[in-house]
Amino acid sequence: MAVDFKYIVVGRGLMGAAAARHLARQVDGVAVIGPDEPDDRKAHQGVFASHYDEGRITRTIDPDRNWALLANRSIGRYGEIARDSDIDFYREVGCVVVAPTESDYLERTRQAAISLGVETRLLDGAGLKAVFPFFAFPDGGAGVFEARGAGHISPRSLVKAQSLLAEKAGATVIRDYVVSIRSEGGVAVVETAGGRTCRGEKVLLAAGGFSIAENLLPRPVAMTVYARTVTLFEVGEADAVRLAAMPSLILRAPGIDIYLLPPIRYPDGKFYLKIGGDPDDLALSGDADMRAWFKTEGRDMVRAHLKRIVEGLVPDIVPLSISTAACVVSHTESGYPMIGYTSSPEIAVLTGCAGTSAKSSDEIGRLGAELLLSGRIGEQGYSTDFTPQFR
């Protein structure tokens, strides 16, 4: 059966757009299928993505060396992506991870950084107060601070940059979403909501949480998608200037497991502090659940929880407004992304990134590209092989 493309990437989010760029740089006949961001989220009838935002934390420091390595390799390519696309998506403001002094979380974080040659600074409670006077951390904590190669990215702008570079390298960008993928006569057949049928030698499904939708894989991936509510605190220009030295923050303390981003200017021209960290999990059961969830503003109880944390953590700010937004995270049994083939030799999957992969998306996408190009992921220095699990 004749094919339209050699490789088709289904999903044009952070990982999918990255995979398409890496593929198109090495081979002709690449297509990437995924819609643009909807103008009206509540009226939108198609699929959604969590990258419709301006703030995601980025850093190498992580207690898990595999995640640290995924991030470190991606961050090392930020400059190239920004230069070649002429799209600015990264702010190097540093990142600090704070946790109870007696926990092993900080030591594992520090050791992972050391193994990758990343410079960090260990701060006790007094050191945290001296270096970051705008934070009121809980007592009994210490921190690992990564000043260089860390901060925050605009996931919206990064996807735009990756899509642009994939297209410049020769990839075909199809602005639609996929409703079915199947193997037929030794090729993969992809059908879109708009009625287009594309055939490819190989397909890589990189649809984030929507990878659990029906009719996309021979068997569903063993992945749980959870609803998440992020909260945005609008601050005035004066506060934005005063907090200009604020790094990105990860805080673990009794009853608190959050990330916080410093003031970021959003498309409406206003500055917002962004915080995330739901106190519980709300699982979404499928495509319809996810679409309905993305049309909401999230959960009020999460907003109240995060508001209390910000009031204690950054006591000197008086927000001009407080708003919330809905997103999702996708968790796998291994705790790592799934990058591998399904039971069909024509259909592979790249998904399940635990809500922590925006920073690491270029390296995860590169691994997905290598899977299609080589048939497997070679030795990369990771202690996991990213094998997918299916239900």
Side-chain angles (χ1 to χ4, degrees):
M1 184 182 294
V3 297
D4 304 296
F5 302 101
K6 187 174 183 66
Y7 299 126
I8 301 174
V9 179
V10 173
R12 195 163 55 88
L14 286 156
M15 272 60 72
R21 177 177 79 91
H22 283 285
L23 284 168
R25 293 175 68 186
Q26 299 175 75
V27 68
D28 294 331
V30 175
V32 56
I33 306 175
D36 289 329
E37 183 175 347
D39 293 327
D40 185 344
R41 182 164 49 90
K42 292 191 174 182
H44 181 58
Q45 299 301 310
V47 298
F48 293 84
S50 293
H51 70 257
Y52 307 152
D53 190 17
E54 291 303 317
R56 287 289 189 281
I57 198 166
T58 188
R59 87 283 182 193
T60 293
I61 47 175
D62 193 286
D64 185 299
R65 189 182 183 279
N66 288 319
W67 277 111
L69 184 55
L70 286 167
N72 187 255
R73 288 175 172 170
S74 294
I75 293 165
R77 293 192 286 269
Y78 284 179
E80 170 194 341
I81 296 168
R83 182 195 68 233
D84 292 349
S85 67
D86 200 27
I87 295 174
D88 186 17
F89 60 85
Y90 168 49
R91 290 288 180 272
E92 188 181 64
V93 298
C95 177
V96 61
V97 176
V98 177
T101 304
E102 67 274 10
S103 72
D104 69 345
Y105 185 87
L106 294 178
E107 181 59 19
R108 288 188 290 118
T109 297
R110 195 174 70 86
Q111 289 300 328
I114 289 171
S115 75
L116 298 175
V118 173
E119 182 181 347
T120 62
R121 183 178 173 190
L122 185 62
L123 300 168
D124 61 13
L128 287 172
K129 186 173 182 179
V131 178
F132 309 118
F134 25 73
F135 290 133
F137 291 118
D139 292 337
V144 175
F145 179 44
E146 181 183 7
R148 293 192 294 275
H152 56 86
I153 61 172
S154 163
R156 178 184 280 125
S157 295
L158 179 52
V159 168
K160 182 179 179 182
Q162 297 278 34
S163 295
L164 174 66
L165 293 178
E167 199 162 21
K168 284 176 65 175
T172 299
V173 176
I174 300 171
R175 289 170 168 79
D176 199 350
Y177 70 94
V178 170
V179 294
S180 74
I181 304 170
R182 67 183 186 274
S183 292
E184 185 178 292
V187 303
V189 181
V190 176
E191 296 184 355
T192 73
R196 182 168 179 171
T197 299
C198 301
R199 292 174 173 81
E201 293 180 15
K202 307 283 184 183
V203 166
L204 180 67
L205 175 64
F210 282 88
S211 298
I212 68 172
E214 294 181 357
N215 302 317
L216 298 181
L217 296 172
R219 288 172 55 199
V221 284
M223 185 172 81
T224 304
V225 180
Y226 295 109
R228 289 290 184 261
T229 301
V230 298
T231 302
L232 300 168
F233 292 75
E234 181 191 352
V235 300
E237 295 272 354
D239 268 342
V241 171
R242 181 174 64 84
L243 301 175
M246 180 183 283
S248 296
L249 166 69
I250 296 171
L251 173 61
R252 290 194 167 190
I256 300 174
D257 187 355
I258 60 97
Y259 66 87
L260 179 76
L261 296 175
I264 297 171
R265 191 185 292 275
Y266 272 65
D268 63 4
K270 300 175 181 179
F271 287 95
Y272 296 91
L273 282 174
K274 179 188 171 187
I275 183 173
D278 291 40
D280 64 355
D281 287 323
L282 173 64
L284 302 173
S285 62
D287 184 291
D289 258 11
M290 283 186 286
R291 293 183 196 222
W293 169 250
F294 270 106
K295 293 182 181 183
T296 74
E297 302 301 326
R299 294 189 288 166
D300 289 341
M301 61 84 69
V302 178
R303 171 190 168 122
H305 170 74
L306 296 176
K307 180 175 181 289
R308 286 192 298 271
I309 291 173
V310 168
E311 288 171 346
L313 183 60
V314 197
D316 291 340
I317 71 162
V318 179
L320 304 178
S321 70
I322 303 174
S323 56
T324 55
C327 67
V328 303
V329 297
S330 305
H331 286 266
T332 65
E333 295 173 355
S334 68
Y336 298 118
M338 294 187 285
I339 313 171
Y341 278 94
T342 67
S343 58
S344 165
E346 292 84 44
I347 302 173
V349 66
L350 170 66
T351 193
C353 296
T356 64
S357 61
K359 65 186 181 303
S360 308
S361 56
D362 190 67
E363 173 67 1
I364 296 170
R366 186 191 69 80
L367 293 175
E370 180 172 321
L371 175 71
L372 295 195
L373 291 166
S374 303
R376 58 185 292 273
I377 298 172
E379 174 56 46
Q380 304 284 336
Y382 300 102
S383 65
T384 180
D385 61 5
F386 303 103
T387 298
Q389 300 296 318
F390 301 93
R391 299 196 191 282

